[in-house]
């Protein structure tokens, strides 16, 4: 089960945090810092995408300047969550292209990430949460089909 | 969600533009003051409220404390506009904690949204419950959530979200979910057409099944069936292929779910699983250049290997897997190396023989020096799991060497593991002592107290170790620097056993004293107290150094630490008593052995194991550890489920006893209460009549109602039989999630398996046929129960007995008169004879219904022997039961109807008393007149 999802930039600023177990505010601040210090210095090339974190583990992936981290149970399937991150990123990219909002801020050339950048996450934080709720719920994967999620988001976008 | 809020965008832009933290705070304070004022003035429209609450949320996300907007958020939830509702719900889930008072205010709004006939609102409400899920919500709303999940009118989005919301509620407040009661209904949704729904429900079922294995047992077949359809039959819509892999997440879930159950014994499922796992392994043989495809493929592969190991570590599949794993652990890709080592540790934890793994020992040891700490950890876990008596010296030696350079984060765990392995696989006492002391001196700070306690326990309890231990610990203490843990062990060991070596040169009392005392000044008070105790023991055994020891006590009498001071005073007084005083001697008696106790090391190591939502299916460590763990787990499970088991069957039995007189013969209650609970039978006069008829005929109707007809055709030969069961859908709608299972109370005596995994849809007005293979292994007395469940609007379930009785496995035999009576006498009377007298009905002409009697007897596969009984209305029969395990059992029968009394006497003799009784009951139950 996912305990939390964090999206942080290289400086450690958290751009998105979603908690599936209750932590109090101080704990959240501490965890953000710890995860950043654990993940950011890791070698992209020679180190795996998994790292033990307390009694759990962080599965993470870096897209351009952003680290997408999910904290899962020690016995969870690492690769399944690694690809879940990718699915989420692809959907973010596609849905912000749909909204055509702030796409002029394209900065990075990363293959999948050129349409969604840090600023999208900041300015559209409430949409990001809505997207998240379509892909993950209660700490589990909810929908794994990009098409299904995207057409659902499109439908929601049309609502007043 | 359409309109973007300009004010919000501006606010965010301003904050981003703030050059320093002070400016940012200033901007935020200004905004918050403004918002507070606006809220106070009131009269805001929905858009304004939404905008302000969004700003508050943003401020909160930045890490500022916010104390306004809760009420407005609650109001927004009741808005009719989606965009306002969404912001309202977002605020509630982000700003409010589980125990917040405001949550009470939202429960009603949430319920309203759940009940509304609007799936968008349903979903928002479900999100809120799934995200916050307080106990109050669980109690108030779990029924509503469940209703949304099972309602046939719910849309797929609602079903998905309801399933996961229920999962969240169950994890947090299991007591509000009647998990066992909902089992068959929830499992049936695993057959849903929509794979999104299937994955969510599978997550839910997986959590519930772990705690209620028996109630959810049907999910096993569903999971195998779904895997088969995904992987072998490629039955999925294109939307659910992820880089050409059919929903890897669903596959992973299903493969994991199967690991919570003991390996299936059903040959049909075994075959299907075998094919699935083999195909998964073959698929991964073709690596592609696409990262996503590879990852998805591997995610499934590693889970499949896990399942293969779980099913049977000796299978050819696991051999294949071992070859793959060996390749993975030297892969160029770090992720693959990591997972290879991890899965290999799983194999090591379960395998009967570690030999195939030992071939790769060198590579694994090298992995302790991998560039990635995550990989190093996995290597450590693997070495720990694959250690046994043969390689323990090598592995422990390597670990010790690596310990000196290992990451700080790893050391404590390493010390524990080394200590456990050293104790468990010690080949000699000498090696144990050498290694453990080397460990303590090398690891120093990372040696937890439980490690040296354990060393002391073992040495105290093992007499042969004591002298050697004293000598070695002394050598370690002579080194210029010794870690405090070592001083503690040294203090204890030399105090107790120093006298054993004191006569050898170089180990004299004064040398022991000097070696130990020279370390004392660097130690904390607790260690020094321990040393004082050592000294008082020495006063007793080493009178030659008494003056030095007394000197120390004297000095310590003036230290500030109360504990030390007290000890010193007491010991000083004790030491100064006259030489012939026995008190000192009594006090310093050698320590008695410790009572055997569980090593504290394991519990220390297992501390973190409980910290997962889904239970672990295996733990690091050897096969024994895993077996032991499974046993305790199973026991715990039993205990937990006991109350449920007690209440349900009693009611079930009462019903069967009371209402089923006609079949009283088939004594269900007497059959040993099986591990899993027998399904509750459907009852009705027709059901009994159908079954009755089928006990002596090979084909006919077994069940019929307005929707469904079930018919049976059967064929038996020796101990084997084959039933074709026909299911007919009589209505013009499909019966979905059509599931049939056969319950056998004693699988050791009778096995019944379907030839194929049956299709789960029964199309309108069609019939489907399923073949059931049965085998009689031993004499059995309770007959199997067929449970059919399906969705037709609501979820329905029918449980009826199958006409598989002991006599089906009979073959008639012919005897002459002399032979018959010889055998009859040989068997003799009770207990190998079973006899009863029961009322019968005469036929329409007022005579005994001879034809029917004959039909029943021969229908029960007994040969009717003519001319043995002179009375022509009597029937004499003989047959032999075929079983595959217990061989053949002969059986003789005599039926004597009496027309005048309208009674009939039946006598059955058999070499097995169970058979005699059972045959008597079967024949009687058919012939007995309804009273």
């Amino acid at each position: 089960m996912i305990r939390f999802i964090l999206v942080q930039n290289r400086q450690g600023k958290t751009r998105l945090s979603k908690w599936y177990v209750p932590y109090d505010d101080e704990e959240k601040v501490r965890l953000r810092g710890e995860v950043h210090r654990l993940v950011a210095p890791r070698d992209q090339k020679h180190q795996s995408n998994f790292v033990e974190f307390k009694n759990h583990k962080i599965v993470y992936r870096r897209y351009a300047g952003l680290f997408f981290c999910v904290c899962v149970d020690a016995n969870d399937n690492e690769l399944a969550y690694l690809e879940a991150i990718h699915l989420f990123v692809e959907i973010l990219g596609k849905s912000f292209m749909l909204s055509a909002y702030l796409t002029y801020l394209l900065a990075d050339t990363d293959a999948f990430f050129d349409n969604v950048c840090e600023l999208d996450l900041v300015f559209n934080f409430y949409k990001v949460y809505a997207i998240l709720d379509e892909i993950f719920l209660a700490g589990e994967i909810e929908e794994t089909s990009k098409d299904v999620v995207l057409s659902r988001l499109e439908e929601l976008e049309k609502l007043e | 969600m359409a309109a973007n809020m300009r004010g919000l965008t501006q606010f965010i832009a301003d904050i981003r533009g703030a050059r320093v933290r002070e400016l940012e705070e200033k901007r935020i304070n200004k905004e918050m003051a403004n918002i507070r004022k606006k809220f106070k003035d009131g009269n805001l429209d929905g858009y304004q409220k939404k905008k302000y609450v969004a700003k508050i949320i943003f401020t909160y996300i930045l890490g500022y404390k916010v104390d306004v907007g809760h009420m407005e958020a609650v109001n927004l939830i009741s808005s009719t506009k989606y965009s306002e509702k969404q912001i309202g719900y977002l605020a509630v889930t982000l700003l409010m904690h589980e125990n917040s008072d405001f949550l009470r205010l939202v429960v009603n709004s949430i319920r309203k949204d759940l009940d509304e006939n609007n799936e968008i609102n349903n979903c928002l409400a479900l999100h809120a419950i799934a995200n916050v899920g307080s106990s109050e919500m669980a109690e108030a709303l779990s029924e509503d959530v469940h209703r949304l999940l099972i309602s046939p009118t719910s849309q797929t989005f609602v079903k998905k979200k309801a399933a996961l919301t229920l999962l969240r509620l169950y994890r947090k407040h299991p007591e509000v979910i009647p998990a066992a009661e909902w089992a068959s209904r929830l499992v049936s949704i695993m057959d849903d057409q929509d794979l999104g729904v299937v994955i969510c429900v599978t997550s839910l079922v997986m959590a519930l099944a772990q705690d209620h294995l028996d109630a959810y047992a049907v999910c096993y077949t569903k999971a195998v069936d779904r895997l088969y359809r995904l992987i072998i039959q490629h039955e999925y819509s294109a939307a659910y292929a992820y880089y050409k892999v059919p929903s890897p997440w669903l596959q992973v879930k299903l493969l994991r779910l199967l690991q919570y159950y003991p390996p299936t014994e059903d040959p049909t499922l075994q075959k299907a699983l075998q094919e699935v796992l083999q195909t998964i392994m073959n698929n991964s043989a073709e690596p592609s250049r696409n990262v996503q495809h590879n990852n998805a493929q591997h995610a499934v592969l590693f889970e499949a290997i896990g399942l293969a190991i779980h099913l049977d570590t000796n299978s050819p599949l696991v051999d294949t897997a071992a070859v793959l794993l060996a390749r993975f652990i030297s892969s160029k890709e770090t992720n693959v190396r990591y997972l290879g080592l991890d899965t290999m540790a799983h194999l090591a934890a379960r395998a009967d023989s570690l030999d195939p793994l030992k071939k790769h020992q060198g590579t694994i040891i090298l992995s302790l020096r991998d560039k990635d700490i995550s990989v190093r950890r996995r290597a450590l876990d693997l070495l720990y799991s694959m250690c046994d008596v043969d390689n323990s010296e090598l592995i422990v030696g390597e670990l010790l060497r690596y310990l000196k350079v290992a990451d700080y984060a790893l050391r404590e765990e390493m010390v524990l593991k080394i200590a456990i392995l050293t104790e468990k696989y010690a080949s000699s006492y000498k090696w144990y002592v050498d290694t453990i002391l080397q460990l303590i001196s090398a690891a120093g700070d990372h040696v937890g107290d439980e490690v040296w306690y354990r060393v002391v326990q073992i040495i105290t309890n093992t007499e042969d170790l004591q002298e050697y231990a004293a000598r070695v610990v002394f050598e370690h203490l002579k080194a210029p620097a010794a870690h405090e843990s070592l001083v503690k062990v040294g203090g204890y060991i030399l105090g107790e056993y120093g006298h054993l070596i004191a006569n050898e040169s170089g180990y004299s009392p004064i040398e022991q004293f000097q070696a130990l005392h020279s370390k004392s000044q660097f130690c904390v008070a607790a260690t020094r107290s321990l040393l004082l105790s050592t000294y008082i023991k020495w006063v007793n055994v080493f009178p030659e150094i008494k003056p030095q020891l007394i000197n120390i006590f004297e000095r310590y009498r003036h230290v500030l630490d109360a504990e030390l001071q007290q000890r010193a005073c007491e010991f000083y007084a004790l030491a100064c008593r006259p030489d012939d005083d026995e008190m000192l001697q009594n006090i310093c008696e050698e320590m008695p052995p410790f009572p055997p106790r569980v090593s504290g090391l394991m519990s220390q190591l297992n501390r973190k194991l409980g910290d997962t939502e889904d239970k672990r299916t295996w733990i690091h460590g050897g096969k024994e550890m895993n077996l032991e763990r499974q046993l305790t787990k199973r026991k715990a499970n039993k205990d937990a489920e006991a109350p449920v088991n007690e209440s349900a069957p009693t009611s079930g039995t009462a019903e069967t006893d009371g209402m089923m007189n006609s079949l009283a013969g088939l004594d269900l209650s007497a059959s040993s209460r099986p591990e899993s609970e027998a399904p509750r039978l459907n009852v009705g006069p027709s059901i009994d009549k159908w079954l009755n008829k089928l006990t002596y005929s090979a084909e006919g109707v077994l069940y019929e109602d307005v929707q469904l007809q079930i018919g049976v055709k059967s064929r038996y030969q020796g101990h084997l039989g084959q039933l074709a069961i026909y299911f007919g859908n009589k209505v013009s709608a499909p019966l979905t999630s059509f599931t049939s299972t056969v319950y056998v109370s004693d699988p050791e005596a009778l096995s019944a398996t379907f030839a194929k995994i049956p299709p789960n849809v029964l199309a309108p007005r069609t019939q489907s046929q399923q073949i059931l293979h049965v085998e009689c292994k031993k004499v059995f007395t309770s007959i199997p129960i067929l449970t059919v469940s399906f969705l037709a609007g609501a979820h329905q379930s029918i449980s009826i007995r199958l006409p598989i009785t002991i006599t089906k496995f009979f073959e008639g035999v012919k005897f002459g008169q002399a032979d018959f009576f010889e055998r009859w006498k040989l068997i003799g009377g009770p207990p190998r004879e079973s006899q009863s007298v029961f009322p019968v009905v005469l036929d329409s002409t007022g005579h005994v219904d001879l034809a029917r009697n004959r039909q029943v007897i021969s229908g029960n596969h007994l040969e009717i022997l003519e001319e043995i009984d002179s009375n022509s209305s009597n029937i004499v029969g003989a047959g032999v039961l075929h079983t595959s395990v217990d061989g053949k059992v002969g059986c003789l029968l005599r039926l004597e109807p009496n027309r005048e009394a309208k009674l009939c006497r039946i006598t059955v003799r058999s070499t097995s008393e169970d058979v005699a009784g059972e045959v008597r009951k079967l024949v009687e139950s058919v012939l007995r007149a309804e009273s």
Side-chain angles (χ1 to χ4, degrees):
Chain A
M1 175 196 160
I2 304 176
R3 286 167 190 267
F4 55 80
I5 299 176
L6 290 179
V7 179
Q8 299 176 317
N9 68 12
R10 266 176 287 195
Q11 290 74 43
K13 252 199 174 352
T14 302
R15 290 310 184 191
L16 173 68
S17 57
K18 178 82 187 173
W19 311 87
Y20 293 101
V21 276
Y23 295 105
D24 59 36
D25 287 348
E26 289 78 55
E27 254 177 309
K28 288 179 186 170
V29 173
R30 219 186 51 241
L31 287 169
R32 287 189 189 111
E34 285 173 1
V35 170
H36 171 67
R37 283 192 296 280
L38 184 67
V39 168
R42 281 174 61 86
D43 181 340
Q44 284 277 86
K45 230 186 157 127
H46 299 289
Q47 295 194 315
S48 60
N49 294 88
F50 327 122
V51 60
E52 210 155 304
F53 179 64
K54 298 167 189 281
N55 288 347
H56 309 292
K57 63 192 168 200
I58 305 280
V59 175
Y60 70 97
R61 198 148 162 174
R62 190 176 140 174
Y63 293 89
L66 286 182
F67 290 94
F68 285 72
C69 310
V70 292
C71 177
V72 296
D73 286 340
N75 59 343
D76 280 331
N77 186 309
E78 290 88 349
L79 288 176
Y81 283 106
L82 187 61
E83 285 316 298
I85 292 176
H86 190 76
L87 179 77
F88 175 49
V89 170
E90 283 191 351
I91 290 173
L92 276 183
K94 288 254 173 62
S95 58
F96 283 119
M97 202 155 62
L98 286 175
S99 79
Y101 187 70
L102 283 175
T103 39
Y104 66 92
L105 280 169
L106 285 186
D108 269 295
T109 50
D110 189 285
F112 288 107
F113 213 59
D114 45 6
N115 295 319
V116 53
C117 67
E118 233 181 301
L119 285 183
D120 284 308
L121 298 185
V122 176
F123 280 93
N124 296 289
F125 67 94
Y126 54 98
K127 287 186 190 173
V128 177
Y129 280 104
I131 296 173
L132 210 50
D133 276 341
E134 295 301 324
I135 307 173
F136 305 101
L137 196 65
E140 296 290 341
I141 295 175
E142 172 189 345
E143 182 51 69
T144 65
S145 161
K146 251 176 284 174
D147 301 356
V148 172
V149 175
L150 286 170
S151 63
R152 176 69 171 187
L153 291 171
E154 219 172 326
E155 192 187 325
L156 293 178
E157 189 80 16
K158 285 186 198 130
L159 294 171
E160 195 190 345
Chain B
M1 231 192 268
N4 284 298
M5 293 165 273
R6 282 197 53 185
L8 174 67
T9 311
Q10 189 54 53
F11 176 55
I12 297 173
D14 284 354
I15 288 175
R16 284 187 51 81
R19 278 167 288 114
V20 285
R21 177 88 184 172
E22 284 77 47
L23 290 174
E24 184 180 300
E25 273 172 31
K26 211 171 143 201
R27 176 71 182 87
I28 284 173
N29 288 337
K30 187 177 144 212
E31 191 68 40
M32 287 298 128
N34 177 40
I35 292 175
R36 236 178 248 120
K37 184 165 170 299
K38 294 275 185 195
F39 283 165
K40 209 170 145 202
D41 296 348
N43 222 355
L44 298 173
D45 65 16
Y47 172 79
Q48 285 169 310
K49 268 190 216 162
K50 174 178 84 168
K51 186 178 69 183
Y52 292 134
V53 170
K55 286 179 180 176
I56 292 170
I57 298 172
F58 186 77
T59 308
Y60 171 79
I61 291 174
L62 284 182
Y64 291 89
K65 291 228 179 312
V66 293
D67 49 7
V68 282
H70 293 76
M71 252 345 267
E72 286 71 18
V74 173
N75 287 340
L76 279 177
I77 290 180
S78 322
S79 163
T80 49
K81 288 184 178 154
Y82 170 77
S83 65
E84 292 169 13
K85 247 182 154 53
Q86 194 244 338
I87 294 286
Y89 271 120
L90 182 62
V92 165
T93 54
L94 285 177
L95 304 181
M96 294 182 195
H97 284 283
E98 227 175 280
N99 305 317
S100 160
D101 286 337
F102 283 100
L103 279 184
R104 236 161 262 155
L105 299 173
V106 259
V107 169
N108 279 327
S109 312
I110 294 180
R111 191 202 306 276
K112 200 171 145 272
D113 281 336
L114 281 183
D115 291 346
E116 214 172 309
N117 192 13
N118 172 338
E119 60 128 355
I120 300 284
N121 291 354
N122 295 161
C123 288
L124 282 176
L126 288 169
H127 288 165
I129 307 171
N131 281 316
V132 184
S134 64
S135 65
E136 210 159 317
M137 285 187 189
E139 270 162 36
L141 303 171
S142 62
E143 282 288 344
D144 292 290
V145 177
H146 178 242
R147 181 178 47 76
L148 283 177
L149 173 58
I150 64 173
S151 161
T153 54
S154 284
Q155 309 244 0
T156 57
F157 281 97
V158 175
K159 281 196 216 169
K160 288 190 291 196
K161 290 169 201 285
L164 292 179
T165 303
L166 217 48
L167 170 61
R168 152 88 186 204
L169 294 181
Y170 178 72
R171 280 179 173 159
K172 295 221 65 182
H173 313 282
E175 67 287 348
V176 302
I177 310 285
E181 200 181 297
W182 288 354
S184 60
R185 183 63 184 91
L186 294 184
V187 172
S188 74
I189 314 175
M190 286 174 74
D191 284 326
D192 202 282
Q193 299 279 308
D194 185 288
L195 286 187
V197 173
V198 176
I199 187 168
C200 293
V201 169
T202 305
S203 294
L204 173 64
V205 165
M206 188 157 104
L208 297 168
Q210 287 170 54
D211 301 329
H212 306 87
L213 280 180
D214 290 337
Y216 283 82
V218 189
C219 74
Y220 201 97
T221 316
K222 300 276 176 213
V224 176
D225 182 38
R226 179 65 73 178
L227 283 168
Y228 195 84
R229 275 155 51 200
L230 285 177
I231 296 163
I232 309 293
Q233 299 174 330
H234 305 287
E235 192 192 311
Y236 54 91
S237 74
Y240 281 91
Y242 179 80
Y243 290 90
K244 295 184 188 148
V245 183
S247 188
W249 297 279
L250 177 57
Q251 289 192 49
V252 165
K253 278 263 178 246
L254 295 166
L255 291 166
R256 178 65 64 90
L257 172 62
L258 295 174
Q259 293 175 57
Y260 288 108
Y261 280 90
T264 176
E265 278 165 19
D266 184 315
T268 312
L269 294 182
Q270 280 172 346
K271 210 177 125 236
L273 267 180
Q274 160 85 22
E275 204 177 329
V276 162
L277 295 175
Q278 187 70 58
T279 310
I280 292 174
M281 288 189 201
N282 295 348
N283 287 347
S284 70
E286 319 144 13
S288 102
R289 313 189 104 217
N290 182 293
V291 183
Q292 274 59 251
H293 173 83
N294 269 347
N295 282 345
Q297 195 87 273
H298 278 113
V300 175
L301 173 67
F302 283 107
E303 206 61 56
I305 295 178
L307 177 60
I309 293 170
H310 173 78
L311 292 176
D312 178 9
T313 50
N314 296 318
S315 62
L317 272 177
V318 173
D319 294 341
T320 316
V323 174
L324 287 175
L325 291 178
R327 198 180 329 134
F328 291 154
I329 62 169
S330 29
S331 162
K332 268 192 224 139
E333 266 185 79
T334 315
N335 285 351
V336 174
R337 283 201 304 280
Y338 168 102
L339 292 165
L341 290 166
D342 189 43
T343 312
M344 218 181 231
H346 184 184
L347 182 56
R350 303 296 287 271
D352 288 328
S353 159
L354 292 168
D355 291 337
L357 297 183
K358 285 183 188 161
K359 279 188 279 181
H360 313 293
Q361 206 161 283
T363 317
I364 301 165
I365 287 171
L366 269 181
S367 306
L368 283 176
R369 288 167 172 71
D370 198 279
K371 282 194 181 124
D372 184 0
I373 182 176
S374 303
V375 175
R376 295 196 289 271
R377 270 181 204 278
R378 296 288 80 86
L380 171 62
D381 286 337
L382 172 53
L383 286 173
Y384 173 69
S385 293
M386 65 186 282
C387 190
D388 64 10
V389 185
D390 299 329
N391 59 13
S392 59
E393 296 201 11
L394 195 130
I395 287 185
V396 170
E398 277 300 332
L399 292 180
L400 267 178
R401 194 167 340 141
Y402 174 58
L403 181 62
K404 292 172 190 143
V405 293
D407 313 65
Y408 281 96
L410 268 178
R411 288 195 189 176
E412 192 183 338
E413 192 181 327
M414 281 193 79
V415 170
L416 279 174
K417 288 187 166 164
I418 295 174
I420 290 170
L421 293 178
T422 312
E423 177 184 331
K424 205 159 161 216
Y425 299 114
S427 46
S428 68
Y429 292 136
K430 184 176 164 306
W431 181 74
Y432 173 76
V433 173
D434 289 346
T435 312
I436 209 83
L437 289 178
Q438 213 181 322
L439 173 69
I440 291 174
S441 56
D445 291 343
H446 306 281
V447 177
D449 279 340
E450 61 280 351
V451 174
W452 80 266
Y453 289 164
R454 186 68 185 163
V455 174
V456 164
Q457 263 178 39
I458 290 179
I459 294 176
T460 309
N461 289 11
T462 319
E463 217 180 317
D464 296 347
L465 265 178
Q466 294 160 357
E467 190 187 326
Y468 184 73
R471 198 173 298 131
V472 178
V473 84
F474 177 68
E475 293 298 335
H476 275 278
L477 282 174
K478 279 204 301 196
H483 192 273
E484 193 149 342
S485 300
L486 193 77
V487 177
K488 289 186 212 165
V489 178
Y492 189 91
I493 301 291
L494 290 179
E496 288 289 320
Y497 310 112
H499 62 94
L500 298 176
I501 54 170
N503 293 333
E504 298 167 37
S505 76
Y507 297 95
S508 69
I510 187 73
E511 282 163 300
Q512 290 189 28
F513 168 69
Q514 279 161 352
L516 199 57
H517 194 61
S518 64
K519 304 290 184 293
S520 155
Q521 52 181 316
F522 307 109
C523 294
V524 297
T527 310
R528 290 197 210 186
S529 325
L530 188 146
L531 291 183
L532 288 184
S533 302
T534 305
Y535 299 158
I536 192 69
K537 291 176 192 168
W538 279 347
V539 171
N540 184 34
V541 292
F542 297 154
E544 57 267 55
I545 55 167
K546 192 169 167 183
Q548 288 93 323
L549 298 170
I550 289 183
N551 185 19
I552 288 175
F553 294 143
E554 201 176 19
R555 271 197 282 130
Y556 270 90
R557 284 198 299 167
H558 308 292
V559 296
L560 282 176
D561 185 281
E563 165 70 28
L564 274 175
Q565 198 183 46
Q566 190 183 349
R567 276 198 200 209
C569 288
E570 288 169 5
F571 290 162
Y572 181 77
L574 201 56
C576 293
R577 289 172 76 93
D579 283 348
D580 54 350
D581 187 81
E582 283 181 4
M583 186 154 156
L584 177 65
Q585 226 176 319
N586 289 339
I587 288 175
C588 298
E589 269 294 332
E590 198 169 292
M591 287 291 278
F594 291 92
R597 59 177 85 161
V598 189
S599 164
L601 302 177
M602 285 307 289
S603 53
Q604 187 67 15
L605 193 61
N606 290 341
R607 230 178 359 172
K608 60 179 186 177
L609 290 183
D611 208 4
T612 56
E613 277 301 339
D614 291 315
K615 294 173 188 164
R616 280 172 181 274
T617 51
W618 59 282
I619 53 166
H620 291 294
K623 193 175 166 231
E624 293 159 45
M625 280 187 212
N626 276 283
L627 281 176
E628 205 174 287
R629 180 172 160 274
Q630 275 174 338
L631 286 178
T632 46
K633 207 173 71 185
R634 211 162 291 161
K635 196 168 161 287
N637 230 332
K638 277 273 152 55
D639 293 348
E641 282 195 22
V644 186
N645 270 338
E646 257 161 35
S647 60
T650 29
S651 58
T653 321
E655 210 167 285
T656 3
D657 283 355
M659 299 166 88
M660 308 219 65
N661 291 329
S662 64
L663 277 166
L666 303 168
D667 194 351
L668 276 163
S669 55
S671 68
S672 62
R673 200 31 81 185
E675 295 231 322
S676 58
E677 202 179 305
R680 269 192 192 204
L681 289 170
N682 286 55
V683 288
S686 318
I687 297 180
D688 299 344
K689 217 167 67 200
W690 289 319
L691 178 68
N692 244 333
K693 183 124 195 292
L694 281 166
T695 56
Y696 61 90
S697 40
E699 53 180 272
V701 172
L702 180 64
Y703 179 85
E704 182 156 15
D705 62 20
V706 287
Q707 300 177 97
L708 184 71
Q709 186 191 47
I710 306 176
V712 167
K713 273 187 190 173
S714 60
R715 213 171 55 201
Y716 290 87
Q717 181 149 41
H719 61 273
L720 295 176
Q722 203 183 63
L723 269 79
I725 306 178
Y726 296 88
F727 299 97
N729 178 358
K730 293 165 66 179
V731 292
S732 51
L735 305 180
T736 56
S737 190
F738 195 86
T739 311
S740 43
T741 51
V742 173
Y743 168 84
V744 179
S745 69
D746 183 7
E748 300 283 303
L750 178 72
S751 79
T753 47
F754 283 111
K756 285 199 310 217
I757 303 177
N760 60 26
V761 178
L762 192 51
R765 302 196 185 286
T766 57
Q767 194 182 53
S768 86
Q769 177 206 2
Q770 288 174 29
I771 302 289
L772 184 73
H773 291 294
V774 289
E775 179 185 353
C776 175
K777 299 173 180 168
K778 293 177 182 173
V779 175
F780 63 96
T781 51
S782 66
I783 72 174
I785 298 170
L786 171 73
T787 300
V788 179
S789 64
F790 52 87
L791 286 171
H795 186 252
Q796 302 175 35
S797 162
I798 299 162
S799 290
I800 43 175
R801 279 172 287 189
L802 278 173
I804 302 172
T805 58
I806 189 94
T807 53
K808 298 284 182 188
F809 301 95
F810 270 44
E811 271 171 18
V813 277
K814 273 205 168 95
F815 292 122
Q817 199 174 24
D819 271 354
F820 181 84
F821 280 113
E822 190 189 324
R823 279 159 214 265
W824 184 263
K825 274 187 208 131
L826 205 64
I827 296 171
R832 300 205 285 186
E833 177 190 274
S834 179
Q835 189 178 60
S836 65
V837 177
F838 56 93
V840 287
V841 208
L842 304 179
D843 67 7
S844 50
T845 60
H847 287 85
V848 171
D849 195 342
L850 276 182
R852 180 170 146 83
N853 287 359
R854 290 178 74 93
Q855 189 192 358
V856 170
I857 301 298
S858 57
N860 272 300
H861 297 199
L862 290 160
E863 182 79 26
I864 294 178
L865 306 178
E866 310 293 348
E867 290 162 17
I868 289 186
D869 198 318
S870 50
N871 183 339
S872 63
S873 56
N874 291 354
I875 298 175
V876 169
V880 61
L881 166 69
H882 296 263
T883 70
S884 55
V885 175
D886 284 352
K888 296 180 183 178
V889 180
C891 179
L892 307 172
L893 170 139
R894 196 163 178 203
L895 193 71
E896 300 157 288
N898 184 311
R899 185 182 150 203
E900 287 71 39
K902 293 192 187 169
L903 288 174
C904 179
R905 182 166 74 179
I906 177 170
T907 314
V908 181
R909 288 185 174 189
S910 162
T911 45
S912 151
E913 47 186 284
D914 286 342
V915 172
E918 196 57 26
V919 172
R920 201 249 322 138
K921 283 184 209 162
L922 282 169
V923 175
E924 182 187 326
S925 68
V926 179
L927 295 180
R928 175 187 272 273
E930 305 283 337
S931 49

